[in-house]
């Protein structure tokens, strides 16, 4: 084998190795999914001081590959309530089996400028508990919003 043929052979082998290293099996990454499976809320009035108490109970499932920082979990409350909040307490945050998370809490808000009829109209136009805000252990922030029977997961920036 001549020197020219030897160099050509070596270059061909090196190129084949380099090209072979560039071709790899695509890794399947499980998409991040969240589903708000159940929401319940109720209003209890306190006519003496013009405040309304809303209690809520939300259950959410999430994909296997998602690890939620439970200290970051907050309900996504309708704007008409959010702007009037006096006090908000998460009473129970429970991690259940099969990647389920259950959040129970109360929101006390100023209802002094709203009649019962106005509150009913606002509640019928805008779901009072709309979803959940949370961060993953990796640091990504999300909001999971229930739209009809589906849940939309939106990554939000800091």
């Amino acid at each position: 084998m001549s020197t020219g043929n030897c160099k050509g052979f070596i270059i061909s082998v090196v190129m084949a190795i380099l090209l072979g290293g560039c071709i790899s099996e695509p890794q399947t990454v499980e998409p991040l999914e969240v589903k708000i499976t159940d929401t319940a809320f109720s209003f209890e009035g306190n006519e003496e001081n013009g405040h309304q108490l809303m209690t809520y109970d939300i259950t959410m499932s999430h994909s296997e590959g998602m690890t939620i920082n439970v200290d970051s979990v907050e309900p996504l409350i309708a704007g008409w309530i959010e702007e009037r909040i006096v006090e908000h307490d998460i009473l129970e945050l429970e991690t259940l089996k099969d990647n389920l998370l259950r959040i129970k809490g109360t929101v006390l808000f100023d209802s002094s400028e709203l009649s019962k009829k106005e509150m009913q109209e606002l509640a019928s136009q805008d779901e009072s508990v709309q979803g959940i805000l949370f961060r993953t252990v990796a640091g990504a922030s999300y909001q999971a919003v229930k739209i009809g029977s589906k849940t939309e997961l939106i990554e939000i920036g800091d």
Side-chain angles (χ1 to χ4, degrees):
M1 192 182 271
S2 71
T3 309
N5 286 342
C6 188
K7 285 181 184 177
F9 177 74
I10 292 173
I11 289 173
S12 296
V13 170
V14 169
M15 291 299 287
I17 291 171
L18 289 175
L19 288 175
C22 292
I23 300 171
S24 62
E25 292 287 321
Q27 294 182 0
T28 57
V29 176
E30 179 183 335
L32 299 179
E33 292 182 349
V34 169
K35 181 166 178 151
I36 297 173
T37 56
D38 190 30
T39 58
F41 58 91
S42 63
F43 294 102
E44 300 171 23
N46 187 344
E47 299 300 325
E48 286 181 24
N49 59 15
H51 289 156
Q52 186 79 28
L53 182 69
M54 180 181 76
T55 59
Y56 61 85
D57 187 345
I58 309 166
T59 305
M60 175 182 92
S61 66
H62 57 89
S63 56
E64 190 74 34
M66 180 181 280
T67 307
I68 295 175
N69 177 348
V70 292
D71 294 332
S72 71
V73 174
E74 288 285 330
L76 184 58
I77 305 295
W80 68 273
I81 297 172
E82 184 75 33
E83 63 191 21
R84 295 175 170 87
I85 288 181
V86 174
E87 187 177 312
H88 174 220
D89 292 312
I90 295 178
L91 304 175
E92 188 177 328
L93 184 61
E94 185 178 10
T95 302
L96 305 170
K97 64 179 180 168
D98 298 328
N99 298 319
L100 285 175
L101 190 62
R102 186 172 184 191
I103 306 113
K104 292 182 179 182
T106 60
V107 175
L108 183 68
F109 64 97
D110 183 355
S111 60
S112 61
E113 296 178 7
L114 298 170
S115 68
K116 287 187 185 229
K117 183 178 178 183
E118 289 172 319
M119 285 192 347
Q120 289 172 342
E121 287 173 3
L122 287 168
S124 68
Q125 294 169 9
D126 200 8
E127 196 72 31
S128 299
V129 178
Q130 299 175 335
I132 299 174
L133 299 167
F134 64 92
R135 278 190 321 275
T136 62
V137 172
S141 296
Y142 293 93
Q143 67 179 14
V145 181
K146 187 161 184 163
I147 301 171
S149 63
K150 296 185 179 204
T151 303
E152 185 174 332
L153 183 64
I154 303 164
E155 186 169 5
I156 52 179
D158 290 326

